[in-house]
Amino acid sequence: MLAALVAATLAACTGGATPQEPAPTTLAPDAAATPAQGPTPTSEVTVHETGPEGFPGAYAVPEGLSADDPRPAVLAFGGSEGGSQGGRAFAEAIAGLGYPALGIGYFKGVDQPAALEEVPVETFLDALAWLREQPGVDGDAVLAFGASRGGEMALWLAANRPDLVQGAIAPVGADAIMCGYPDASVSAWTLGGEALPCSADWTAASDADPAARIPVDSITGPVILACGTEDDVWYSCGYLRRAERALDSRRQGTIVAIVGEGAGHDVSPPPWMEYSTGDAARDAAGLDARRQLWSAVDEVLASLDS
């Protein structure tokens, strides 16, 4: 059940409007979808729509979450597809592993920008503030999970707002603030109404522009990166290697860098969901990278669970 839902939501490219006062939905672990390797979702998940809270998305709560035993939590979001569907799917997968997660959209939603251009960072800051206030959430163990174009924002949040975010998961993301899409003449992001300096280096052929570079070396908590060597969307392994070089100077915090040999851009979906690009060799390589990524996610969250 969960695998089918995740596959459908990751494929969606529509906005994230939500119904009025929706009832929570409950998802059970799909034993038939358990991968041969990698983590296994074991928790029943209850999903609450967050539209009434002021942002499109879903709060996924694992069975047994209690204010008496707070757990690490994750703010999750997708990439340039827009809408909240990618974030929701990641949040439900993380909750299946036993951790609360809030999945949001940041453009193409109600009262949001129509494109990945001049998106307010405050969207993420407001969502983080809400998440940290939820019963059962350990406010000192919150990670940001952003895939593809969301990856740069996950890293930016962990680097620049350590009071809110203690680490980042950024599969196929960039190590710099990138310019808008499709209009690269403007920044993708704003803070306080001012555009963040951005880079239009889509190939990672040289060092990141200092003004746009994300100071990933200042992140004190865990950082998980992943890329595919056959990524035909952008040069995700170039961004990973640049980030890895910067992270090497850190004296604390876990670093996991997964290079998917032969994999494409799609290394972020959970390995227990069915996912196919139509290329058997690339799918096999992608599945291996996905298993490594989600094993790292599971292990890092477990390490933060005091």
Side-chain angles (χ1 to χ4, degrees):
M1 178 180 177
L2 178 59
L5 177 60
V6 172
T9 53
L10 279 177
C13 294
T14 55
T18 55
Q20 294 295 318
E21 299 297 333
T25 57
T26 301
L27 306 174
D30 188 349
T34 300
Q37 299 174 335
T40 300
T42 58
S43 179
E44 187 173 272
V45 176
T46 301
V47 181
H48 304 269
E49 300 292 333
T50 58
E53 305 298 334
F55 43 87
Y59 182 45
V61 181
E63 184 179 19
L65 184 68
S66 168
D68 296 327
D69 183 23
R71 300 181 194 172
V74 177
L75 176 67
F77 36 93
S80 61
E81 74 278 4
S84 64
Q85 303 301 336
R88 294 163 63 98
F90 293 137
E92 290 167 16
I94 291 162
L97 297 177
Y99 305 96
L102 172 60
I104 65 167
Y106 47 94
F107 72 102
K108 286 189 180 177
V110 176
D111 297 326
Q112 292 182 334
L116 182 50
E117 299 162 7
E118 300 181 332
V119 174
V121 172
E122 286 81 359
T123 300
F124 303 91
L125 302 181
D126 291 347
L128 283 165
W130 184 89
L131 175 61
R132 288 164 55 87
E133 292 176 354
Q134 300 314 298
V137 167
D138 181 352
D140 293 324
V142 175
L143 304 182
F145 185 132
S148 192
R149 286 304 303 268
E152 68 202 66
M153 184 46 57
L155 291 169
W156 188 95
L157 289 166
N160 290 279
R161 292 304 305 264
D163 55 320
L164 300 177
V165 178
Q166 285 67 54
I169 305 161
V172 292
D175 64 331
I177 288 295
M178 305 302 288
C179 294
Y181 177 79
D183 184 359
S185 70
V186 299
S187 180
W189 315 100
T190 66
L191 180 63
E194 298 293 327
L196 295 183
C198 68
S199 169
D201 175 11
W202 310 111
T203 64
S206 59
D207 290 342
D209 179 345
R213 175 185 173 272
I214 298 168
V216 295
D217 49 313
S218 70
I219 300 173
T220 58
V223 176
I224 302 174
L225 308 170
C227 72
T229 60
E230 299 302 315
D231 189 337
D232 54 9
V233 174
W234 66 1
Y235 192 36
S236 57
C237 286
Y239 297 126
L240 179 148
R241 292 185 178 103
R242 287 197 320 201
E244 194 175 20
R245 288 195 297 270
L247 287 164
D248 281 344
S249 65
R250 296 196 317 170
R251 297 185 180 274
Q252 58 184 324
T254 301
I255 304 168
V256 180
I258 298 156
V259 177
E261 294 292 341
H265 194 69
D266 304 309
V267 301
S268 56
W272 56 85
M273 64 166 274
E274 295 182 5
Y275 191 90
S276 176
T277 65
D279 182 323
R282 183 172 293 196
D283 288 346
L287 178 58
D288 182 63
R290 289 159 54 200
R291 286 171 175 162
Q292 292 183 63
L293 172 66
W294 283 87
S295 291
V297 170
D298 193 33
E299 290 167 8
V300 162
L301 287 169
S303 74
L304 297 173
D305 195 4
S306 56

